[in-house]
């Protein structure tokens, strides 16, 4: 019902910046929250940040506060993750996900985009 496509990942050096994009299509009117998750090799998936689709309220993991910023463009059905001062520990596959109105779980997921930060 909602399709998500991430883009913008790549290989960068510590201290560099990247901006990830997540384009949503389908029943985008049903979106409640949009969020970014990441999963490093051998680690469990963790939530990085999320944003309210309608109100714009945000929340961040402590590990990225002050460095990452989530934003959305409702007209383009797109959310962004601006990542600054990247560290090697930020290396992971980054996934976009959404919750639907009336639901309590992350219902739909993108395919992921690789972010690699070298020392």
């Amino acid at each position: 019902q909602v399709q998500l496509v991430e883009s913008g990942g790549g290989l960068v050096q510590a201290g560099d910046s990247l901006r990830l994009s997540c384009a949503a299509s389908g029943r985008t009117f049903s979106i409640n929250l949009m969020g970014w998750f990441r999963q490093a090799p051998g680690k469990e998936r963790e939530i990085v940040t999320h944003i309210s689709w309608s109100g714009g309220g945000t929340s961040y993991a402590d590990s990225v506060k002050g460095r990452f910023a989530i934003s959305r463009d409702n007209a383009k059905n797109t959310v962004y993750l601006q990542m600054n001062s990247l560290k090697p520990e930020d290396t992971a596959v980054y996934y976009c996900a959404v919750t639907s109105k009336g639901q309590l779980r992350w219902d739909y997921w993108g395919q992921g985009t690789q972010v690699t930060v070298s020392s």
Side-chain angles (χ1 to χ4, degrees), residues 40-95:
K43 303 293 184 180
E44 292 189 5
R45 182 186 62 203
E46 63 176 346
I47 190 166
V48 176
T49 179
H50 70 264
I51 188 168
S52 171
W53 187 247
S54 59
T58 61
S59 183
Y60 296 90
D62 288 342
S63 59
V64 305
K65 286 181 179 177
R67 299 189 298 120
F68 290 11
I70 189 171
S71 61
R72 89 262 199 251
D73 186 334
N74 296 69
K76 296 181 178 180
N77 292 322
T78 300
V79 295
Y80 306 94
L81 182 63
Q82 179 66 47
M83 304 185 294
N84 299 322
S85 301
L86 283 162
K87 305 175 181 179
E89 50 261 46
D90 295 319
T91 295
V93 177
Y94 284 71
Y95 297 92

Side-chain angles (χ1 to χ4, degrees), residues 21-22 37 41 49 56 60 74 95 108 113:
S21 299
C22 175
F37 294 74
T49 179
Y60 296 90
N74 296 69
Y95 297 92
Y108 304 103
T113 185

Side-chain angles (χ1 to χ4, degrees), residues 13-34:
Q13 191 175 17
D16 286 352
S17 297
L18 280 175
R19 190 180 76 157
L20 307 183
S21 299
C22 175
S25 60
R27 300 183 68 203
T28 56
F29 62 87
S30 70
I31 295 173
N32 182 22
L33 304 177
M34 298 192 72

